[in-house]
Amino acid sequence: MIQTVEWTDEGVRFIDQTRLPTEEVYVTCRSYEEVAVAIRDLIVRGAPAIGVAAAMGVALGVKQSSAADPAALRRQFDEIARVIGETRPTAVNLFWAIRRMREKFEALAGQPLPQIKTALVAEARQMHLEDIAANQAMGRHGAALMPASGGVLTHCNAGALATCGYGTALGVIRAAVDAGKKIHVFADETRPILQGARLTAWELTKDGIPTTVIADNMAGAIMRQGKIRAVVVGADRIAANGDVANKIGTYTVAVLAKEHQIPFYVAAPWSTVDMNTSTGEQIPIEERSPKEITHHGGKQMAPDGVQVENPAFDVTPHKYVTAIITERGIAKAPYAEALKELAAAAPVTA
Ligand code: MRU
């Protein structure tokens, strides 16, 4: 299995996703500040992987802390949480992970400092295991929704590389393939930084799952040709009403799917569902560097001085979503009620 995120004695180790698919290179972040840079610079990306990376970053910062007493360690904890919390705003898994680490930290109040450090490392490692278990459960729930054969379109990368292993959307596809379904994946290349062409195609090809990369602007024509039987994507944040924030371009795919009567599924762990955000309107959308649009492979593609917009994510209103697949089960419209029910369901443990 690909080791997207790994705790080691030296620090937090990542496969460097900026170098794929041509180079399989691993980097070890030896401080929490380096973990924050790895998240911001997309060495590690994808909402669930960002969450576990953040938890491990917090654990690393606390482990390395020179604080001599609980009050000093608390001040240090707040600083670590602030630095990691400022890396990327949209994937709610980042904030979910920091909150879970803070709750653990609070629960350990009064314990000797070495015990606190050990317990926080153990918590982050447990989150890593739980993420894989959640993906496998999502796969079990979602495989039944996949067609027995034919094309399934996905956008961005919601695979092993976006998680601690197996993947969300690609986990559903993997489980369907394991169940004997003859699926051919169509991977949108996913402009501007090509997570579909570089990452989805890389990991599916490695697994021997038939994959065709298409430019984003081809999805409509390919659907019209009858080549797509279902769409499955991941999510960075799902609001309480079922609106879904995911990689820019997802909304376009959802609208196209509706026009062609193709089911549009979203697969995400419960840590991506934000019951405190009522609709997609309130989801903060990360704006990234204009250079991601104006330059490609180091080459300038647009004239100097041109205006650029580069929102990394968009929001798909819930009316376009056929079902949301989580490890706790499948939610269908009306989403406000269905998600409330899943909120009360038992979490999947590892
Ligand atoms: O900017 P990225 O590459 O972090 O964006 C990733 C996505 O939009 C994924 O689809 C989402 O995080 C789900 S990953 C299981």
Side-chain angles (χ1 to χ4, degrees):
M1 197 161 76
I2 304 159
Q3 287 293 348
T4 307
V5 186
E6 201 184 355
W7 179 267
T8 73
D9 289 342
E10 287 75 44
V12 189
R13 189 170 179 262
F14 300 108
I15 186 168
D16 184 344
Q17 301 196 33
T18 64
R19 313 265 294 262
L20 288 170
T22 50
E23 293 170 273
E24 192 173 326
V25 175
Y26 291 81
V27 293
T28 300
C29 294
R30 293 168 202 276
S31 67
Y32 77 88
E33 291 97 334
E34 284 184 19
V35 172
V37 170
I39 296 172
R40 201 193 55 222
D41 291 353
L42 310 182
I43 286 169
V44 59
R45 33 69 48 204
I50 290 171
V52 173
M56 288 188 175
V58 170
L60 184 62
V62 171
K63 182 186 159 200
Q64 292 175 339
S65 166
S66 54
D69 58 71
L73 188 62
R74 177 177 295 274
R75 280 195 299 278
Q76 182 107 59
F77 187 102
D78 289 344
E79 177 59 9
I80 296 165
R82 185 190 65 76
V83 169
I84 294 179
E86 284 177 357
T87 50
R88 298 195 73 191
T90 305
V92 76
N93 307 60
L94 178 83
F95 308 100
W96 164 86
I98 293 171
R99 192 172 60 243
R100 179 159 157 181
M101 293 300 280
R102 187 182 289 284
E103 281 165 8
K104 186 74 191 174
F105 182 69
E106 299 299 348
L108 292 161
Q111 305 253 348
L113 300 192
Q115 249 120 301
I116 295 178
K117 294 181 178 188
T118 309
L120 286 181
V121 172
E123 185 72 0
R125 298 186 78 172
Q126 175 63 17
M127 287 159 79
H128 184 277
L129 295 177
E130 286 175 16
D131 184 61
I132 298 171
N135 293 335
Q136 287 165 342
M138 252 176 265
R140 286 193 294 276
H141 295 305
L145 300 174
M146 292 293 102
S149 65
V152 173
L153 185 134
T154 190
H155 191 75
C156 193
N157 171 267
L161 289 167
T163 63
C164 297
Y166 203 63
T168 60
L170 298 192
V172 167
I173 289 171
R174 285 192 166 98
V177 169
D178 285 348
K181 297 192 173 187
K182 304 272 173 270
I183 288 176
H184 188 110
V185 177
F186 284 80
D188 280 347
E189 63 174 355
T190 315
R191 280 280 291 148
I193 50 169
L194 306 181
Q195 288 93 331
R198 294 189 302 107
L199 308 177
T200 295
W202 181 78
E203 65 167 269
L204 292 181
T205 305
K206 230 171 143 60
D207 270 9
I209 297 177
T211 303
T212 298
V213 174
I214 57 169
D216 298 338
N217 54 6
M218 296 172 189
I222 302 270
M223 287 182 185
R224 189 140 185 263
Q225 289 164 16
K227 289 184 180 161
I228 306 297
R229 307 280 302 279
V231 175
V232 60
V233 297
D236 286 83
R237 194 185 293 225
I238 299 174
N241 71 342
D243 291 350
V244 173
N246 191 46
K247 180 52 56 195
I248 189 75
T250 303
Y251 168 59
T252 316
V253 173
V255 173
L256 284 169
K258 195 174 181 86
E259 173 65 21
H260 295 90
Q261 283 110 45
I262 297 165
F264 179 90
Y265 300 114
V266 176
W270 191 255
S271 51
T272 302
V273 179
D274 181 3
M275 295 300 276
N276 295 320
T277 295
S278 48
T279 76
E281 296 282 303
Q282 284 99 49
I283 298 176
I285 300 294
E286 176 183 5
E287 182 74 24
R288 291 189 65 86
S289 163
K291 220 170 164 196
E292 289 182 353
I293 306 285
T294 56
H295 288 65
H296 194 63
K299 195 165 182 274
Q300 188 169 338
M301 313 296 276
D304 287 331
V306 73
Q307 293 181 43
V308 170
E309 287 197 23
N310 187 17
F313 303 96
D314 60 25
V315 172
T316 298
H318 59 84
K319 71 171 180 178
Y320 294 104
V321 179
T322 310
I324 297 173
I325 304 157
T326 79
E327 73 276 28
R328 298 185 181 190
I330 293 173
K332 287 193 175 165
Y335 286 105
E337 282 79 2
L339 291 175
K340 242 186 230 153
E341 249 173 60
L342 287 182
V348 166
T349 51

